[in-house]
Amino acid sequence: MQSPFPASMGNYVSGQIARLEGERQRQAEIAASYAATDIFAGVDGTGVFNDRQYQLEFQNSFVNRMSREWDTPAKFYRRGPSIDGIGTANLAFAAFEHVHKLYSQKTGKPKRIFLAGYSRGGAAVAKVCDLLQDKNIPVHGLFLFDAIDRAMLITPSFIPRNVRFCFHARRDPRCNSRNSFGNYGTKAHRENTIYREKFFYCTHGGMGGVPWLKADPDGFINEAEDIDLGRPVVQNPLIRGLALSTPAVGGLILSDELARKGNQIYHSAGRTNVTVQQDKTGSAEVGQWMFAALKELRRDSAAGVPAS
């Protein structure tokens, strides 16, 4: 039977029904988030500026996996900052606001907060703990994947006192990976926090679940970016013209030999003692340790704490 309404009216009605159904579903998800007793927030590691490329590179990162596998809508996940790291503090405040809102909703059972962060994201979630401490809100579990000390406006050397359990996976110094990166969150108030720390033989990328897929011809991973530091300078006509008009610096800018030596130093500094297979294996061990710890902490019964 043909509809008595014009086609345009039928489309309008269908659209309204879809909109109402979408709103109903959204409200149901919000209600489920508020009712959940376990809350998760994760901030991932530093990566490229382009969101689509970042998503491809970090699709299997440990923090991303924890978020995807979380079994309630009460969760928060954000990609990490771009290379400059300026957005780290903003990520921390965004995660805090989301967690605080979920925690503040009253339910019959006490709520537990679990936070996870990789690299600069580790610094961000440590800051979230600090902000929650100011509100007298406890954090049940904090999971740090090689949290590094390169976040502007954030200096969390100590795990805040409101954290009950903290697990920190760190790269083994023998790997010679990102030696200029120090670590945040390596100290805890032992009377308040049960702190577990473990070192793994893999690169900083492997620590976050993003192991390297290629190596130098001798089989060892090189973390230096695949660029020629001198080529853009030497070949750029504008820079060449400016350099020629300033003899004092022209020789330095136009020196192919200087650019070659700069590249050698840059790539030498990026050399690690880790093969692709070692990185893959070490990264898998990081994931096994951390996911087992998270599973143990989420048990309803008073389970024992996973050993270090």
Side-chain angles (χ1 to χ4, degrees), residues 127-302:
K127 180 61 177 178
V128 173
C129 295
D130 194 35
L131 295 169
L132 291 170
Q133 182 174 240
D134 291 341
K135 301 289 186 180
N136 294 315
I137 297 175
V139 173
H140 193 65
L142 174 62
F143 299 85
L144 301 177
F145 295 89
D146 210 25
I148 62 170
D149 62 353
R150 299 171 69 85
M152 296 180 65
L153 307 177
I154 299 177
T155 56
S157 57
F158 267 88
I159 301 300
R161 296 178 184 273
N162 61 328
V163 176
R164 182 70 181 112
F165 300 99
C166 177
F167 295 85
H168 195 171
R170 299 176 62 188
R171 66 194 182 284
D172 192 320
R174 295 175 300 172
C175 295
N176 198 42
S177 172
R178 304 299 188 191
N179 284 335
S180 63
F181 292 5
N183 284 111
Y184 280 152
T186 57
K187 302 176 183 178
H189 304 279
R190 304 292 175 168
E191 70 277 13
N192 300 95
T193 305
I194 296 175
Y195 179 80
R196 296 286 185 264
E197 178 182 87
K198 193 170 183 179
F199 289 84
F200 295 87
Y201 198 87
C202 60
T203 66
H204 179 64
M207 295 299 306
V210 194
W212 287 74
L213 302 177
K214 64 178 182 178
D216 279 351
D218 62 359
F220 291 99
I221 293 169
N222 193 319
E223 295 173 318
E225 301 297 330
D226 188 19
I227 60 175
D228 184 338
L229 297 179
R231 187 176 300 279
V233 174
V234 174
Q235 294 186 345
N236 186 294
L238 178 60
I239 296 179
R240 290 180 70 92
L242 292 173
L244 289 172
S245 65
T246 313
V249 297
L252 295 177
I253 294 178
L254 297 178
S255 172
D256 290 310
E257 177 65 16
L258 185 65
R260 185 184 66 82
K261 290 182 178 179
N263 287 327
Q264 288 178 343
I265 294 172
Y266 177 67
H267 284 277
S268 177
R271 293 268 300 172
T272 72
N273 298 323
V274 183
T275 66
V276 170
Q277 185 57 49
Q278 287 174 327
D279 206 31
K280 181 180 179 181
T281 300
S283 183
E285 291 172 350
V286 173
Q288 290 168 3
W289 185 62
M290 292 292 245
F291 278 87
L294 176 60
K295 182 179 180 180
E296 189 76 14
L297 288 191
R298 290 200 69 192
R299 287 186 182 180
D300 291 335
S301 61

